[in-house]
Amino acid sequence: GKMMEIAILTAEQISYAVMLSRMVYDQANIFFDEYMNEDNIKRQVEEGVLTIWGICENRQLVAVSGMTNQGHITMLYVHPYFQRKKYASMLIEEMRVYAAKEYDIDWITVNAMPTCSATYFYKRGFRYTNSGQNFNSPYISLQTKSNRCANYRTRPISGKALAAVISVFLCLIFGSSFGYIIYFLVTH
């Protein structure tokens, strides 16, 4: 069999640890950076390829999700201050119902990235798929059944509201990233 060993790294091994960490982090960010730009998201929404949901508290966008017309979840983000309020679970359920009612599809999928987020989806009924992933993949593919039991009513959203949602979402992402960078620089 395979030999696996856990050990405390020596000073000579630190450079390899940093390289591995950067590789995993950078690989995940490449996917994110290529996909998550305002023009790309707007184009997909306008073409009917992507539907975006948001949750607002006191008129402030605090959670956002997106799903393609093929039932693939491409976005699921909750502002850190508003986590643990089940907003992500609510958005997942909304997408499961929408996939069944509006797209007439039986399964929805997600590529959990970073891979540690796969546990979150697994606890919510998603199961791992065999999508031909390899060792270097920065994500884990999962799927779950859509929900045909609920009644879904479509609610149109104006272009201005959509632009505001996307803008606020991108500000949250860039603001969080900037804050993390500052935190990292100060603490290291």
Side-chain angles (χ1 to χ4, degrees):
K2 298 177 184 177
M3 190 173 110
M4 193 278 296
E5 177 184 348
I6 298 175
I8 295 174
L9 300 182
T10 64
E12 294 82 30
Q13 295 170 311
I14 298 299
S15 63
Y16 296 109
V18 170
M19 285 190 323
L20 175 61
S21 301
R22 290 297 313 171
M23 180 193 73
V24 172
Y25 178 82
D26 290 343
Q27 194 174 28
N29 281 338
I30 288 170
F31 283 99
F32 182 83
D33 291 342
E34 287 176 358
Y35 180 78
M36 191 55 64
N37 69 68
E38 190 172 349
D39 291 337
N40 180 43
I41 300 300
K42 280 183 179 178
R43 179 184 49 75
Q44 289 187 51
V45 169
E46 289 168 1
E47 292 173 357
V49 174
L50 180 68
T51 302
I52 298 177
W53 291 264
I55 294 179
C56 294
E57 259 195 32
N58 299 320
R59 297 184 180 163
Q60 177 185 0
L61 182 67
V62 298
V64 65
S65 67
M67 182 178 66
T68 68
N69 57 7
Q70 300 296 309
H72 184 71
I73 297 173
T74 61
M75 297 188 299
L76 183 61
Y77 302 101
V78 179
H79 186 285
Y81 182 79
F82 295 91
Q83 292 176 358
R84 304 231 175 256
K85 290 188 169 194
K86 301 200 181 297
Y87 287 166
S89 295
M90 291 177 204
L91 288 167
I92 289 171
E93 186 57 27
E94 187 80 8
M95 290 185 285
R96 288 181 66 222
V97 171
Y98 194 86
K101 302 296 182 180
E102 299 299 316
Y103 297 141
D104 193 31
I105 55 179
D106 294 324
W107 293 91
I108 61 173
T109 60
V110 65
N111 291 335
M113 187 169 66
T115 55
C116 60
S117 66
T119 304
Y120 174 85
F121 290 100
Y122 193 86
K123 288 179 179 178
R124 280 143 191 88
F126 285 77
R127 294 299 174 251
Y128 301 107
T129 65
N130 281 334
S131 64
Q133 288 175 243
N134 62 41
F135 176 74
N136 293 321
S137 180
Y139 59 84
I140 295 176
S141 294
L142 299 104
Q143 67 181 8
T144 191
K145 283 197 160 280
S146 61
N147 184 346
R148 295 189 179 276
C149 298
N151 292 322
Y152 189 84
R153 61 187 193 290
T154 58
R155 298 173 301 249
I157 186 168
S158 72
K160 288 180 182 179
L162 179 60
V165 166
I166 291 171
S167 297
V168 169
F169 171 71
L170 290 174
C171 288
L172 285 172
I173 293 298
F174 290 119
S176 297
S177 298
F178 183 73
Y180 176 77
I181 290 168
I182 297 299
Y183 170 78
F184 183 82
L185 291 174
V186 169
T187 59
H188 292 84

